[in-house]
Amino acid sequence: MLWPMFFLALAFCGIAVLGVLAVRVGLEVRRFTRAVGDGSERITRAVEDLERAAVPLASRAGTAREAHGTVRADVTGDVRGDVRHDGKA
């Protein structure tokens, strides 16, 4: 009768250890998701700041291109020349 009780107590301790580990994993997952959410918000704010900063630069680049007939780049990164060989845009 001693051995079955010993194994039952050992099984209970094993389940208790697994439960404690599951709680710790759950808490770490919650902390990780909070960190990912904060990082996502920071990235979103940085993108918005970049867009706000790019608007004046883009308008200046547009006026410079019209005035000088310089080379412009489209959204995909391809570069097209708008300058003719006779110097007119």
Side-chain angles (χ1 to χ4, degrees):
M1 190 72 177
L2 177 66
W3 290 109
M5 290 177 63
F6 173 74
F7 289 128
L8 185 64
L10 191 63
F12 176 77
C13 289
I15 291 173
V17 167
L18 289 176
V20 168
L21 292 175
V23 168
R24 289 182 64 186
V25 166
L27 292 174
E28 289 297 318
V29 166
R30 182 180 297 169
R31 188 174 65 92
F32 179 69
T33 55
R34 195 174 315 128
V36 168
D38 291 343
S40 175
E41 289 176 11
R42 288 181 191 154
I43 289 172
T44 302
R45 280 189 302 234
V47 166
E48 291 170 355
D49 292 344
L50 183 61
E51 287 176 350
R52 276 195 302 272
V55 169
L57 295 174
S59 65
R60 276 190 251 156
T63 58
R65 182 183 57 83
E66 292 170 1
H68 300 293
T70 57
V71 176
R72 72 170 189 242
D74 65 351
V75 177
T76 61
D78 296 334
V79 176
R80 297 185 306 257
D82 287 346
V83 178
R84 295 183 192 157
H85 291 291
D86 59 0
K88 296 181 183 177

